[in-house]
Amino acid sequence: MGQPLWTVWHHDQQLSKVANTNNDLIKQVTVTTHWWDVRLDAKEYLQAGNLLRNGKYYQVIENGRILKTPLTHPTAGYPVYSGFKHDATFALVIQQYAGLSKDIKRGISEIDLSPTKANPQRLHLFMNDGNEVYASPASFRAKMKYYPEIAAQMNGKGIVNLEVGAYSYPFPQHKSKSKTKHGTTNDHVQTSR
């Protein structure tokens, strides 16, 4: 404000670069100049969840960036990620999550890295409907689109395994109520997490 209009003309790329450098949430800035005014339109990255690291939550956006300021509580409506380092696996999971439908995104409570010998990148998802899902980062988005149909055909709550193929099975009879890492209660098998 208060700058001569000529200082803005033909500097839209520079303004966009400065905006991106100063604000991690800005995806793109479009500068439109009219005879006596300038209009800036900013597009922001969407939130992709909350990363749990050292007992603190950090906002993650869809380009894979982890914002530096810790949150006191995770942002409601987004999954909590845990067990991840800031590496290629985490970046792939965020990219895959970003491509999911809104309904499936809303159904995910937690995404944990839960490696096994057979699958060192195995994901363990806790769903808001009480089911749990096992998946692999590379096929996560493609296979999660089948989750609503699989869950609808299940008799009760259980596990949906999307690692190789897609199948489901009920929880064992000794189900117990337990809390997820960020405090919501789901009916699921007590795990040693």
Side-chain angles (χ1 to χ4, degrees):
M1 278 176 73
Q3 292 185 335
L5 190 58
W6 61 268
T7 62
V8 177
W9 283 330
H10 307 294
H11 295 302
D12 24 344
Q13 288 182 346
Q14 183 181 1
L15 288 169
S16 183
K17 186 177 179 180
V18 169
N20 288 339
T21 302
N22 292 327
N23 188 330
D24 286 336
L25 292 175
I26 292 182
K27 184 177 192 175
Q28 177 185 4
V29 173
T30 305
V31 180
T32 310
T33 56
H34 296 288
W35 185 245
W36 292 111
D37 64 296
V38 176
R39 179 181 170 142
L40 299 173
D41 291 309
K43 290 185 181 177
E44 292 185 341
Y45 288 105
L46 299 176
Q47 184 172 351
N50 306 279
L51 177 66
L52 178 61
R53 182 181 285 160
N54 300 325
K56 295 180 181 176
Y57 297 98
Y58 296 87
Q59 186 178 18
V60 178
I61 53 179
E62 287 189 338
N63 66 352
R65 280 190 190 153
I66 302 165
L67 302 186
K68 295 174 187 162
T69 307
L71 305 169
T72 53
H73 300 289
T75 308
Y78 295 97
V80 173
Y81 299 91
S82 66
F84 292 95
K85 296 176 181 161
H86 195 129
D87 61 5
T89 301
F90 185 62
L92 179 59
V93 171
I94 297 300
Q95 178 187 13
Q96 295 284 315
Y97 174 83
L100 294 173
S101 72
K102 288 181 183 179
D103 288 338
I104 292 176
K105 284 180 183 178
R106 278 184 286 225
I108 301 172
S109 174
E110 293 181 44
I111 302 176
D112 297 345
L113 184 62
S114 179
T116 64
K117 286 182 183 179
N119 185 355
Q121 294 184 328
R122 182 180 77 163
L123 302 177
H124 187 180
L125 287 74
F126 293 86
M127 306 300 289
N128 290 324
D129 64 7
N131 290 322
E132 296 178 24
V133 176
Y134 291 112
S136 294
S139 59
F140 172 51
R141 178 179 59 196
K143 290 188 175 186
M144 277 303 288
K145 68 182 176 186
Y146 301 111
Y147 175 79
E149 184 180 334
I150 294 169
Q153 294 175 9
M154 293 172 65
N155 292 329
K157 303 299 177 200
I159 304 284
V160 176
N161 193 313
L162 303 174
E163 289 179 274
V164 178
Y167 61 94
S168 65
Y169 51 94
F171 287 124
Q173 292 298 326
H174 60 280
K175 270 188 356 176
S176 66
K177 278 194 181 270
S178 65
K179 289 192 173 193
T180 62
K181 288 181 183 169
H182 65 280
T184 59
T185 301
N186 284 337
D187 285 334
H188 59 79
V189 176
Q190 185 71 28
T191 59
S192 57
R193 303 186 293 135

